[in-house]
Amino acid sequence: MGFSPRTETLLTHAAAICTDRGAKLTDLRRQVLGLILDSGQPTGAYDLLNQLKTTRQGAAPPTVYRALDFLLEQGLIHRLERLSAFVGCVGHDEGEHAAQFLICRSCGKVIEIEDHALSHALQEAARRVGFTVGSATVEAEGQCAACARAAAPVAADLPKPA
């Protein structure tokens, strides 16, 4: 299964991250990560399973979930609870990082942002009530700029004032 040049570069980087941590990016884990990275949109476990079955006859749900668990532990993907799907995150060598996701209700596009002020505000609010945040993924739904532009009425289409 061939991946895009960008994905191949990210997979090489992911393998190096794993090696530095004493972990191994096996062929299966690499393939699952590659499918997620090449997708360009959040990908569900069963979508991954269906794609894997084209090259791995013995692929079953536990196969995919074990690979996903490993990739999550290594910080190479994020799970979007709202969508029950996964997105790649290979650019952060430190593993856990402040991640927030903006999910467009119209087109399904997901944008990852890393706003440290937002993370700090959450930790501070939690601290005020005696809670310590271990990790947090923030998911916000709304509309992306492209969908907002497409939905905005064009001035020429507006009724003329009487």
Side-chain angles (χ1 to χ4, degrees):
M1 177 173 285
F3 295 114
S4 70
R6 176 188 171 276
T7 295
E8 287 293 346
T9 299
L10 290 171
L11 289 170
T12 299
H13 185 60
I17 291 169
C18 290
T19 299
D20 288 350
R21 296 177 182 163
K24 183 169 170 50
L25 188 66
T26 64
D27 288 340
L28 174 64
R29 293 167 178 169
R30 183 184 192 282
Q31 190 173 7
V32 170
L33 179 58
L35 290 170
I36 292 169
L37 293 170
D38 247 8
S39 172
Q41 61 185 10
T43 307
Y46 280 91
D47 292 332
L48 292 166
L49 177 60
N50 290 335
Q51 292 176 63
L52 279 177
K53 284 183 177 180
T54 64
T55 58
R56 293 179 178 264
Q57 290 180 336
T63 307
V64 173
Y65 283 112
R66 279 192 297 271
L68 290 170
D69 286 344
F70 172 85
L71 297 170
L72 285 165
E73 288 170 14
Q74 296 302 314
L76 299 172
I77 62 172
H78 291 290
R79 177 177 167 78
L80 298 176
E81 297 294 333
R82 175 82 176 102
L83 302 176
S84 195
F86 301 87
V87 294
C89 185
V90 177
H92 300 277
D93 292 349
E94 71 275 5
E96 276 290 319
H97 65 279
Q100 301 91 26
F101 294 93
L102 308 175
I103 303 169
C104 181
R105 282 191 195 118
S106 301
C107 70
K109 180 179 182 177
V110 175
I111 301 166
E112 180 179 356
I113 60 174
E114 189 172 355
D115 188 319
H116 294 283
L118 182 58
S119 294
H120 179 73
L122 176 61
Q123 289 178 0
E124 185 58 28
R127 186 195 60 73
R128 286 193 301 269
V129 295
F131 189 85
T132 302
V133 175
S135 66
T137 301
V138 176
E139 299 177 22
E141 273 189 315
Q143 194 171 46
C144 72
C147 289
R149 279 192 304 276
V154 178
D157 295 337
L158 294 175
K160 304 282 187 237

